[in-house]
């Protein structure tokens, strides 16, 4: 009697979970995250997941038994206060790891504290004591035996805005064949990062090689940051303008970036005038002034060949979400960005009467919308994304839990730790990833203000600003109205001629602007 031989499939490799803890020391708060991945799956199937804070931790945060966020930002601390500031964050994450590791062989979890915009504004001499103290806290083996804090230079440092952008790009693109660009408007800075591919000519300060593609090939990533261009920083500049002009005038002035009758949360006596057109003009002036002292912003028509899809995060998403919830908005945040409907929703709210909903951020939404529209669409100093490109769905927002998690640069840090054994661009690299920082240097560039207070030229009469600009617009509208009623001309024919002239001038302008952009980028080592 013969017996048949049965071939059994090979048994799967036993799961080998690994973890990494990342503290995001941002400009307004410090937050802690724990990420996990199965090391037995190999690079081809790398799947990094945020496991902390989980639902249980979020519930405990509400009753005060777990701390997931500390305010203010880490940059506001002193070395003496650093331990008490960090210890509650670390205790929650460490307790979580102790529980899930009780049946695991994992005995060491890398921990990183990476500081961003707020710390970049400090000098090196102010940064160093805080970083040294933080590393000392993370390295306390008696309190946190599971944590491996590595070296101070790599595990506790200030990352440049360029590095932050690259990490955000990694989070969006690891394990994905298509390459999506990152457009982030944070509180203190703006980051743009995208796969540059063959259009990159050289290795300027804003370029990096990162290994996240299948097969180990390196992606070439362009990343740039604009410190001081974040929504909170720019709004602070707007408040300074209003305050200085009100004080100089000896009388109250209106804030065009608030709905009519809305009280300004920061300046007593300032009332919203609901003049969104003037608000847009101020955003434009701030951008134009800031662009004179900053690297050129990528010009979308040159970028789209290699990165035609961008994901908008942070204030871009928050602002878009806010106006989507207003009555009659007519757009969904789960769908591609719709400039026409967004602008209409903004104008409807920001030019109307204040509805009485005073919240923590109610004073800033209209200006954030003006800044978003200006940075995305300004054809001279901004990204230059026009209506046709928007209609093609070139800008989207994180949608779904996984995508929302991928919108955080801390996820990108965890991916590099999982794939390359540390915060390094590629496996085997000696230096930690430090885009735009000097070789071995761990300190970001100290950002300069966009402009000095009082130095911004808003036209004759200062901030009769808002009054003068608004009056000019009213006069122009009145003149236009007069021409229509009094003119004995063929209006349709005249309009057609103007339309043709407008197309001609616009094309010439875009062509000259494109040439200027290309020359500027070539000068910095980039050809897009």
């Amino acid at each position: 009697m013969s017996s048949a031989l049965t071939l059994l499939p090979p048994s799967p490799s036993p799961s080998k979970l690994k973890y990494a803890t990342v503290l995001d020391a941002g400009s307004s708060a410090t937050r802690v995250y724990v990420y996990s991945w199965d090391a037995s799956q190999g690079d081809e199937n790398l799947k990094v997941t945020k496991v902390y804070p989980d639902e249980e931790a979020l519930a405990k945060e509400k009753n005060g038994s777990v701390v997931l966020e500390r305010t203010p930002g880490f940059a506001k601390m002193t070395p003496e206060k650093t331990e008490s500031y960090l210890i509650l964050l670390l205790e929650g994450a460490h307790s979580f790891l102790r529980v899930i590791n009780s049946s695991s062989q994992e005995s060491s979890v890398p921990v990183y504290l990476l500081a961003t915009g707020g710390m970049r504004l400090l000098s090196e001499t102010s940064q160093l004591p805080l970083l040294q103290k933080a590393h000392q806290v993370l390295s306390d083996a008696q309190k946190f035996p599971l944590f491996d804090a590595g070296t101070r230079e790599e595990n506790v440092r200030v990352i440049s805005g360029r590095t932050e952008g690259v990490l955000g790009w990694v989070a969006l693109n690891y394990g994905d064949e298509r390459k999506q660009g990152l457009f982030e408007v944070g509180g203190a800075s703006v980051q743009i990062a995208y796969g540059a591919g063959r259009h990159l000519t050289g290795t300027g300060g804003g370029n990096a090689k990162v290994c996240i593609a299948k097969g180990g090939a390196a992606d070439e990533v362009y990343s740039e940051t604009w410190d001081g261009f974040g929504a909170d920083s720019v709004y602070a500049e707007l408040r300074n303008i209003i305050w200085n002009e009100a004080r100089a005038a000896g009388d109250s002035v209106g804030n065009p970036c608030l709905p009519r009758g809305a009280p300004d949360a920061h300046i007593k006596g300032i009332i919203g005038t609901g003049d969104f057109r003037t608000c847009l003009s101020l955003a434009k002036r701030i951008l134009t002034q800031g662009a004179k002292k900053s690297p050129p912003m990528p010009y979308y028509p040159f970028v789209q060949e290699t990165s035609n899809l961008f994901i908008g995060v942070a204030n871009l998403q928050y602002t878009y979400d806010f106006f989507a919830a207003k009555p009659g908005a007519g757009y969904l945040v789960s769908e591609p960005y719709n400039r026409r409907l967004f602008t209409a929703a903004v104008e409807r709210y920001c030019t109307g009467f204040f509805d009485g909903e005073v919240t923590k951020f109610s004073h800033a939404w209209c200006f954030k919308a003006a800044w978003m529209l200006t940075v995305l669409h300004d054809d001279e100093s901004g990204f230059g994304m026009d209506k046709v490109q928007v209609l093609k769905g070139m800008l989207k927002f994180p949608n779904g839990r996984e995508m929302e998690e991928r919108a955080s640069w801390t996820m990108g840090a965890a991916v590099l730790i999982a794939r390359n054994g540390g915060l390094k661009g590629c496996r085997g690299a000696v230096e930690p990833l430090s885009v735009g920082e000097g070789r071995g240097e761990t300190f970001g560039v100290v950002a300069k203000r966009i402009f000095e207070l009082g130095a911004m030229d808003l036209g004759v009469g200062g901030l009769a600003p808002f009054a003068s600009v608004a009056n000019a617009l009213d006069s122009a509208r009145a003149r236009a109205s007069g021409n229509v009623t009094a003119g004995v001309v063929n209006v349709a024919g005249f309009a057609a001629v103007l339309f043709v002239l407008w197309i001609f001038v616009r094309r010439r302008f875009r062509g000259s602007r494109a040439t200027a952009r290309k020359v500027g980028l070539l000068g910095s080592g980039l050809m897009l």
Side-chain angles (χ1 to χ4, degrees), residues 170-191:
V170 168
L172 288 176
N173 290 287
Y174 87 91
D176 199 337
E177 294 300 328
R178 60 179 181 168
K179 297 304 177 187
Q180 305 169 107
L182 171 75
F183 200 119
E184 177 178 5
V185 177
S189 60
V190 167
Q191 273 79 235

Side-chain angles (χ1 to χ4, degrees), residues 100 173 212 232 266 344 366 433 479 485:
I100 63 176
N173 290 287
I212 59 168
D232 295 339
H266 295 278
C366 292
L433 182 71
R479 287 195 299 273
T485 55

Side-chain angles (χ1 to χ4, degrees), residues 302 513-523 526-528:
F302 294 157
R513 191 252 188 174
T515 301
R517 276 290 182 92
K518 186 175 292 188
V519 170
L521 291 169
L522 280 171
L526 292 175
M527 181 176 180
L528 303 177

Side-chain angles (χ1 to χ4, degrees), residues 43 46 169-176 179 210-219 221 412 415-416 419-420 425-426:
D43 292 343
L46 179 65
W169 184 89
V170 168
L172 288 176
N173 290 287
Y174 87 91
D176 199 337
K179 297 304 177 187
V210 293
C211 298
I212 59 168
K214 292 181 179 179
D219 285 297
V221 182
V415 169
L416 294 185
R419 188 177 183 94
N420 301 327
C426 294

Side-chain angles (χ1 to χ4, degrees), residues 35 66 218 323 479 511:
Y35 292 94
V66 166
F323 288 98
R479 287 195 299 273

Side-chain angles (χ1 to χ4, degrees), residues 130-429:
L130 293 175
L131 298 174
Q132 289 176 329
K133 183 62 179 179
H135 187 254
Q136 180 182 334
V137 175
L138 267 63
S139 302
D140 190 333
Q142 290 188 332
K143 287 189 175 73
F144 310 115
L146 283 177
F147 284 155
D148 178 3
T151 65
R152 206 286 301 160
E153 289 73 17
E154 182 169 355
N155 288 53
V156 180
R157 60 191 181 103
V158 180
I159 60 174
S160 69
R162 287 167 170 171
T163 300
E164 186 178 344
V166 170
L167 294 177
W169 184 89
V170 168
L172 288 176
N173 290 287
Y174 87 91
D176 199 337
E177 294 300 328
R178 60 179 181 168
K179 297 304 177 187
Q180 305 169 107
L182 171 75
F183 200 119
E184 177 178 5
V185 177
S189 60
V190 167
Q191 273 79 235
I192 299 178
Y194 55 88
R198 60 185 178 83
H199 290 266
L200 200 60
T201 61
T203 54
N207 311 327
K209 289 182 183 293
V210 293
C211 298
I212 59 168
K214 292 181 179 179
D219 285 297
E220 198 130 27
V221 182
Y222 166 85
S223 178
E224 187 56 87
T225 186
W226 291 264
D227 281 322
F229 278 51
D232 295 339
S233 296
V234 176
Y235 187 75
E237 299 291 359
L238 176 74
R239 291 204 314 269
N240 287 329
I241 294 168
I242 296 174
W243 169 249
N244 287 341
E245 293 295 339
R247 187 171 54 183
D251 196 6
S252 64
V253 296
N255 184 342
C257 299
L258 285 173
R260 284 182 282 176
D264 191 300
H266 295 278
I267 309 176
K268 187 177 180 180
I270 301 296
I271 301 298
T273 62
D275 188 351
F276 190 66
R277 290 191 180 184
T278 299
C279 185
L280 279 171
S281 72
L282 287 172
K284 161 74 173 177
R285 289 170 183 264
I286 291 174
L287 178 63
T288 301
Q289 189 74 15
K292 295 177 181 178
K293 301 180 180 180
S294 306
M297 191 170 288
Y299 188 37
Y300 183 77
F302 294 157
V303 172
Q304 59 182 329
E305 186 176 337
T306 54
S307 294
N308 65 355
L309 173 62
F310 277 77
I311 305 297
V313 300
N315 275 287
L316 291 181
Q317 182 180 10
Y318 307 150
T319 305
Y320 201 65
D321 285 357
F322 174 81
F323 288 98
K326 294 299 173 184
Y331 66 87
L332 300 175
V333 295
S334 58
E335 296 177 351
Y337 168 61
N338 188 310
R339 178 185 180 182
R340 180 181 63 83
L341 292 178
F342 172 66
T343 302
V346 170
E347 289 180 339
R348 189 160 44 246
Y349 175 81
C350 296
T351 61
F353 286 98
F354 182 55
D355 59 12
E357 296 178 3
V358 180
T359 65
K360 182 178 180 181
F361 302 107
S362 61
H363 61 279
W365 287 119
C366 292
F367 182 74
K368 286 186 176 184
W371 187 240
M372 174 175 170
L373 288 167
T374 302
V375 170
L376 284 178
H377 302 295
D378 184 75
D379 204 47
E380 186 175 53
S381 303
F383 199 44
M385 181 177 282
D386 68 20
K387 294 179 182 178
V388 174
Q389 292 148 358
V390 169
L391 289 174
K392 293 180 180 178
M394 301 306 186
L395 178 66
K396 297 181 179 180
F397 302 95
N399 183 34
R401 181 172 179 178
E402 181 183 359
M403 190 61 190
E404 288 176 358
E405 289 183 359
R406 283 193 173 213
S408 171
W409 62 262
T410 57
M411 167 74 84
V415 169
L416 294 185
I417 294 166
R419 188 177 183 94
N420 301 327
L423 200 66
K424 300 173 182 178
C426 294
R427 183 171 296 160

Side-chain angles (χ1 to χ4, degrees), residues 2-173:
S2 62
S3 60
L5 180 63
T6 302
L7 296 177
L8 298 175
S11 58
S13 301
S15 176
K16 186 179 181 182
L17 293 179
K18 293 278 190 178
Y19 302 91
T21 302
V22 181
L23 283 84
D24 170 7
S27 58
S28 59
T30 298
R31 303 170 182 86
V32 61
Y33 304 95
V34 177
Y35 292 94
S36 174
W37 62 94
D38 186 349
S40 67
Q41 295 298 311
D43 292 343
E44 295 294 316
N45 301 302
L46 179 65
K47 172 70 174 176
V48 177
T49 305
K50 186 184 77 175
V51 293
Y52 181 88
D54 56 4
E55 295 299 329
E56 183 179 350
L58 293 172
K60 288 181 177 179
E61 182 188 36
K62 290 182 179 179
N63 63 34
S65 59
V66 166
V67 176
L68 303 176
E69 175 181 294
R70 295 302 306 267
T71 58
F74 183 58
K76 301 290 180 64
M77 290 299 102
T78 63
E80 294 74 27
K81 295 180 179 179
T82 297
E83 182 171 4
S84 60
Y85 177 81
L86 293 176
I87 200 162
L88 293 178
L89 288 171
L90 294 169
E91 283 179 344
H94 192 268
S95 296
F96 170 82
L97 287 166
R98 191 190 294 273
V99 171
I100 63 176
N101 273 353
S102 59
S103 60
S104 170
Q105 299 298 316
E106 187 74 2
S107 60
S108 179
V109 176
V111 58
Y112 289 76
L113 183 147
L114 304 174
T116 57
M119 284 287 283
R120 289 197 292 266
L121 296 175
L122 301 182
S123 66
E124 179 177 335
T125 54
S126 298
Q127 291 175 355
L128 188 56
L130 293 175
L131 298 174
Q132 289 176 329
K133 183 62 179 179
H135 187 254
Q136 180 182 334
V137 175
L138 267 63
S139 302
D140 190 333
Q142 290 188 332
K143 287 189 175 73
F144 310 115
L146 283 177
F147 284 155
D148 178 3
T151 65
R152 206 286 301 160
E153 289 73 17
E154 182 169 355
N155 288 53
V156 180
R157 60 191 181 103
V158 180
I159 60 174
S160 69
R162 287 167 170 171
T163 300
E164 186 178 344
V166 170
L167 294 177
W169 184 89
V170 168
L172 288 176
N173 290 287

